[in-house]
Amino acid sequence: STENSLLKDNRAYFNGLNHGIRENVLNSLSDNSFFNIRTKGNPEHFRQKKDYYDEVSKHKFGLSLNGAANICYRDLELFGLGVLNLRQPLNSKTYEPIVKDVHYVEFITDDLVNKILDKENIDSIINDKVGELLEFSTTKQYDDMIEESKKWFIKNIEFSNFLSYGENQHINFEKLG
């Protein structure tokens, strides 16, 4: 594993709204010390953007849960910050596909969400998954996933690439402004 990843917090970070099914999932994970969960409903723990970026970038993992949409800024931020995205199945069309086990780990499966909603005890399932992730975080495949995610971010999100694309497509940005 890279020297940079060895210095990172070995936990999964979440900062966001606590609503809908997401609230059930977060509540079921909140007692596990692997998760550093900060919700907007708890203002002393919730972080605004600058502090959020500082904190999440110090973690090996970031937790992204479906909310108002299947994909959100959090997914993209994790890619750009070099934090491995742990999430539910991602079914969003993007210019270049975001691929499970290349760009993110499917940590919260549909089956797990159903168990949570049925109020089943999932502690042993989560503990097993956390153990696998901690072991995985010391491998070359972890480092490769971080690099692939960063590459995806640079190619698909970074603003300078958008400008280059626009210029190549003869878009007059001054008229758009």
Side-chain angles (χ1 to χ4, degrees), residues 9-13 29 31-36 59 61 86 107 126 129-130 133-134:
D9 190 327
N10 234 358
R11 294 184 298 158
Y13 188 92
L29 300 177
D31 289 336
N32 190 305
S33 63
F34 176 72
F35 299 96
N36 183 0
H59 286 71
F61 307 98
L86 309 179
F107 185 81
I126 295 301
K129 286 177 167 261
V130 167
L133 277 174
L134 292 174

Side-chain angles (χ1 to χ4, degrees), residues 3-56:
E3 185 177 326
N4 183 39
S5 72
L6 294 174
L7 301 174
K8 288 189 169 191
D9 190 327
N10 234 358
R11 294 184 298 158
Y13 188 92
F14 176 87
N15 186 71
L17 292 172
N18 193 10
H19 61 85
I21 291 174
R22 180 191 286 178
E23 184 172 10
N24 300 83
V25 173
L26 290 172
N27 287 342
S28 65
L29 300 177
S30 64
D31 289 336
N32 190 305
S33 63
F34 176 72
F35 299 96
N36 183 0
I37 297 173
R38 301 177 176 285
T39 61
K40 204 164 194 172
N42 191 345
E44 66 268 15
H45 291 132
F46 183 74
R47 298 294 184 254
Q48 296 304 320
K49 282 294 180 195
K50 183 189 177 312
D51 292 331
Y52 160 68
Y53 291 141
D54 288 344
E55 284 189 17
V56 72

Side-chain angles (χ1 to χ4, degrees), residues 4-168:
N4 183 39
S5 72
L6 294 174
L7 301 174
K8 288 189 169 191
D9 190 327
N10 234 358
R11 294 184 298 158
Y13 188 92
F14 176 87
N15 186 71
L17 292 172
N18 193 10
H19 61 85
I21 291 174
R22 180 191 286 178
E23 184 172 10
N24 300 83
V25 173
L26 290 172
N27 287 342
S28 65
L29 300 177
S30 64
D31 289 336
N32 190 305
S33 63
F34 176 72
F35 299 96
N36 183 0
I37 297 173
R38 301 177 176 285
T39 61
K40 204 164 194 172
N42 191 345
E44 66 268 15
H45 291 132
F46 183 74
R47 298 294 184 254
Q48 296 304 320
K49 282 294 180 195
K50 183 189 177 312
D51 292 331
Y52 160 68
Y53 291 141
D54 288 344
E55 284 189 17
V56 72
S57 65
K58 294 175 183 165
H59 286 71
K60 283 190 177 185
F61 307 98
L63 181 64
S64 185
L65 302 170
N66 295 344
N70 188 260
I71 189 171
C72 73
Y73 288 125
R74 183 179 303 104
D75 295 295
L76 309 177
E77 293 161 347
L78 295 173
F79 292 165
L81 291 169
V83 177
L84 187 61
N85 192 352
L86 309 179
R87 61 162 294 115
Q88 293 172 260
L90 184 57
N91 302 310
S92 291
K93 289 190 179 212
T94 52
Y95 177 70
E96 285 197 355
I98 299 172
V99 181
K100 174 181 136 184
D101 297 330
V102 174
H103 301 110
Y104 72 96
V105 171
E106 189 177 292
F107 185 81
I108 306 292
T109 63
D110 291 338
D111 183 53
L112 188 61
V113 170
N114 289 332
K115 288 179 191 239
I116 290 167
L117 294 176
D118 290 341
K119 308 232 183 290
E120 292 182 33
N121 186 325
I122 59 161
D123 292 346
S124 64
I125 296 169
I126 295 301
N127 287 335
D128 289 346
K129 286 177 167 261
V130 167
E132 290 169 14
L133 277 174
L134 292 174
E135 193 173 306
F136 177 72
S137 73
T138 65
T139 67
K140 182 178 180 326
Q141 187 181 1
Y142 168 89
D143 293 335
D144 291 345
M145 285 182 77
I146 295 295
E147 285 309 308
E148 287 301 315
S149 299
K150 284 182 185 177
K151 285 181 199 171
W152 188 96
F153 178 86
I154 290 166
K155 192 167 187 182
N156 293 277
I157 303 300
E158 193 172 81
F159 192 67
S160 61
N161 288 335
F162 172 74
L163 291 177
S164 297
Y165 170 80
E167 289 167 0
N168 290 337

